[in-house]
Amino acid sequence: MKRILIDLFFSSTLCFAVNAQNAKPLLPPGEKWKDDKGNFINAHGAGVLFYNGAYYLYGEIKKGKTRLVPNQSWEDYRVEAGGISCYSSKDLLHWKYQAIALAADKTDPLSDIHASKVIERPKVIYNERTKQFVMWMHIDKEDYSYAHAGVAVSSKPKGPYKYISSIRPNGQMSRDMTIFKDDNGKAYLIYASENNNTMQICLLSDDYLSPTKKYIRILENQRREAPAMFKHEGKYYLITSLCSGWDANPAGYAVADSVMGEWKQMGNPCLGKDSATTFHSQSTYVLPLDGKKGSFIFMADRWNKLDLEDSRYIWLLLHVNHGRVEINN
Ligand code: GAL
């Protein structure tokens, strides 16, 4: 962890308030991280938007009692959907609570975003043309049979976001998902599909509000989820987890010359002790470190399935080393 602090400290464009003397990590992996108000950061399955000199963190609000949904063939532990939180930071270490970006609906049980539903893995991108912030997320029923991607918009990064609707892109199931916005402004929805057997990548419309007909199927029969995509030196990288519910498993990554493929699988990017469990966590996002080429933050969730509200976060430095992705604990 010493390394992440020192690397971040020397990052040219960011000013990090690091306790350099004893290099005490300010965001120690797996511990409780507090916001500016002293409350624990509640932003799971999170993503980050960099906009106008600030980082905005969006994540699932998990609050309340965890219960096991009965009659499921897998351990379907859940809490009421609490909506999506938003925090902001200039240095990636100190996080200011902003708002509930998207509130869960408390009144209409038929609403996609009713508290009884699943609202997971929110990701936000900015559309320069429409000047709108666009949030995509996984929308489901508590038994995960709905498998839709939901979309919401706002004119401000912190929201409030207006929920529009959800869809199965091109009729295809969409569960664990992420969004990737390329340098040319094109954006893609990446989602576990076909009952989690396949990952799909679908080009979004120019306003980012709907899927287009252009999509590909990748990692067929690999049962991958928790996708996180990033780009480095013209190549695209996709980190995913295996499919084992809230339990940790080995991450894997794939590489391609174009978002629309071909994708080649490369193996586990994690190195050293606990690499077989992704350091007891599951991928959610890869954040490019502004000003440090080839350095990224690998963001992951350390789920606590028996008490989901107490799930923790792991942010580790990720390097691309001669085309190979490396994540060290
Ligand atoms: C995981 C998934 C999480 C959540 C969970 C539910 O595999 O990555 O986002 O959906 O299953 O059990």
Side-chain angles (χ1 to χ4, degrees), residues 234-252:
K235 287 203 185 295
Y236 299 85
Y237 296 88
L238 179 65
I239 298 187
T240 55
S241 75
L242 249 180
C243 188
S244 57
W246 301 112
D247 296 334
N249 58 55

Side-chain angles (χ1 to χ4, degrees), residues 74 120-121 144 176 225 245-246 282:
W74 52 290
E120 290 182 340
R121 298 187 174 270
Y144 286 76
D176 276 13
E225 39 178 35
W246 301 112
Q282 185 184 31

Side-chain angles (χ1 to χ4, degrees), residues 106-120:
K106 302 268 189 210
T107 54
D108 176 9
L110 296 178
S111 162
D112 271 1
I113 54 170
H114 187 253
S116 62
K117 303 285 177 65
V118 167
I119 311 173
E120 290 182 340

Side-chain angles (χ1 to χ4, degrees), residues 45-47 121-125 134-137 177-179 284-285:
R121 298 187 174 270
K123 304 288 176 284
V124 173
I125 50 177
V134 180
M135 176 188 288
W136 280 88
M137 70 212 92
M177 44 67 65
T178 192
I179 295 289
T284 184
Y285 196 72

Side-chain angles (χ1 to χ4, degrees), residues 37-309:
K37 294 194 164 65
N39 296 320
F40 296 120
I41 293 178
N42 198 336
H44 308 273
V48 173
L49 166 76
F50 184 65
Y51 176 76
N52 217 1
Y55 293 92
Y56 292 87
L57 174 74
Y58 303 89
E60 302 157 21
I61 302 171
K62 293 203 178 298
K63 216 163 177 35
K65 203 168 156 27
T66 299
R67 69 182 179 89
L68 185 61
V69 177
N71 307 318
Q72 288 283 76
S73 58
W74 52 290
E75 289 186 320
D76 187 1
Y77 287 104
R78 58 167 279 113
V79 284
E80 294 271 277
I84 307 301
S85 58
C86 176
Y87 298 80
S88 71
S89 174
K90 295 264 175 173
D91 61 12
L92 293 171
L93 293 169
H94 301 91
W95 290 93
K96 184 171 186 292
Y97 177 73
Q98 285 287 349
I100 294 182
L102 179 73
D105 185 315
K106 302 268 189 210
T107 54
D108 176 9
L110 296 178
S111 162
D112 271 1
I113 54 170
H114 187 253
S116 62
K117 303 285 177 65
V118 167
I119 311 173
E120 290 182 340
R121 298 187 174 270
K123 304 288 176 284
V124 173
I125 50 177
Y126 178 63
N127 190 302
E128 272 84 11
R129 288 195 205 178
T130 61
K131 309 261 179 283
Q132 296 285 298
F133 297 84
V134 180
M135 176 188 288
W136 280 88
M137 70 212 92
H138 173 192
I139 295 289
D140 230 313
K141 294 190 193 163
E142 67 171 18
D143 64 2
Y144 286 76
S145 61
Y146 192 54
H148 276 54
V151 62
V153 281
S154 175
S155 55
K156 290 194 228 100
K158 70 172 185 182
Y161 284 76
K162 185 180 175 316
Y163 186 75
I164 303 176
S165 61
S166 73
I167 191 169
R168 280 191 171 184
N170 296 294
Q172 302 289 313
M173 287 181 171
S174 174
R175 291 202 178 103
D176 276 13
M177 44 67 65
T178 192
I179 295 289
F180 176 74
K181 181 177 166 187
D182 208 346
D183 306 327
N184 61 7
K186 289 203 180 307
Y188 302 83
L189 181 64
I190 300 120
Y191 46 100
S193 196
E194 301 173 52
N195 256 328
N196 289 343
N197 279 308
T198 297
M199 202 50 83
Q200 296 189 354
I201 303 177
C202 182
L203 176 69
L204 290 175
S205 55
D206 288 346
D207 60 8
Y208 304 160
L209 297 180
S210 42
T212 67
K213 291 199 165 62
K214 205 170 162 193
Y215 78 96
I216 57 165
R217 303 167 68 238
I218 65 166
L219 312 183
E220 284 168 51
N221 302 318
Q222 303 291 316
R223 295 194 63 74
R224 311 298 306 179
E225 39 178 35
M229 188 181 284
F230 64 99
K231 184 179 187 179
H232 178 60
E233 292 182 342
K235 287 203 185 295
Y236 299 85
Y237 296 88
L238 179 65
I239 298 187
T240 55
S241 75
L242 249 180
C243 188
S244 57
W246 301 112
D247 296 334
N249 58 55
Y253 77 101
V255 62
D257 291 328
S258 146
V259 180
M260 289 316 239
E262 298 232 326
W263 285 89
K264 186 178 166 212
Q265 258 180 297
M266 302 292 287
N268 189 344
C270 300
L271 301 174
K273 190 171 175 289
D274 295 330
S275 56
T277 58
T278 318
F279 315 113
H280 307 286
S281 72
Q282 185 184 31
S283 43
T284 184
Y285 196 72
V286 174
L287 173 66
L289 272 181
D290 196 20
K292 261 197 93 64
K293 269 195 127 220
S295 293
F296 300 80
I297 293 179
F298 170 71
M299 295 168 47
D301 295 284
R302 183 173 286 175
W303 300 116
N304 178 348
K305 66 182 176 189
L306 299 178
D307 183 5
L308 284 163
E309 180 178 345

